[in-house]
Amino acid sequence: MTYTTTAKALRGGLPAAAVLLLTLVTPAQAAPQETAPGNWLYVSVTSGDARSRESRGTLLMCDPPRGHQRAAEACAQLETTDGDIDALPATDTYCTMVHAPVTAHARGQWNGRPVAYAETFSNACMMKARTGAVFALDN
């Protein structure tokens, strides 16, 4: 009789255990992504040497352009390179050979891709010639 009771319990509980196991093993459906990718960069410029640093920065948003005074121009330039700052065309500019280093930093996203950029230039004129309006944070 003990054997019959155990067998009946196993037969009755086995399908329920299988269903429970299947619900635990089945992966959950991912919720659809509701946010559209935006184009934004936190841009900053650090000037000076290691002993004395001056830094300024702002959030450049491109949908619609806003953030600093030349946001529309910067966004248009970034649009031509799909957000790749390294691919911005350099302008023909004559810069003095004064050594006044500046470092340009950018972090954010462009069309859903992460953007990370950092480069040190010998002076602000060289930075502007190489990056256009993206790091134009001064008046």
Side-chain angles (χ1 to χ4, degrees):
M1 183 126 185
T2 307
Y3 172 75
T4 316
T5 308
T6 306
K8 284 182 184 179
L10 282 176
R11 271 186 270 143
L14 194 57
V19 169
L20 179 62
L21 183 62
L22 285 175
T23 58
L24 293 175
V25 174
T26 306
Q29 293 283 333
Q33 187 175 3
E34 295 182 20
T35 59
N39 297 330
W40 61 271
L41 298 173
Y42 181 77
V43 294
S44 64
V45 176
T46 304
S47 59
D49 58 13
R51 291 166 296 182
S52 132
R53 290 190 171 250
E54 179 183 315
S55 185
R56 59 197 179 283
T58 190
L59 183 62
L60 171 64
M61 295 178 281
C62 291
D63 297 321
R66 59 193 184 278
H68 60 70
Q69 288 185 326
R70 296 177 62 189
E73 184 181 357
C75 292
Q77 290 171 351
L78 288 166
E79 187 67 36
T80 64
T81 63
D82 197 29
D84 185 1
I85 298 171
D86 284 320
L88 289 170
T91 59
D92 289 334
T93 304
Y94 291 103
C95 295
T96 63
M97 297 301 290
V98 174
H99 183 70
V102 293
T103 303
H105 295 275
R107 293 208 179 280
Q109 72 175 11
W110 195 270
N111 292 335
R113 289 179 291 114
V115 173
Y117 174 86
E119 187 168 345
T120 300
F121 299 91
S122 58
N123 57 45
C125 179
M126 295 295 292
M127 178 184 68
K128 182 181 179 219
R130 182 65 190 87
T131 63
V134 176
F135 295 99
L137 304 179
D138 292 336
N139 294 334

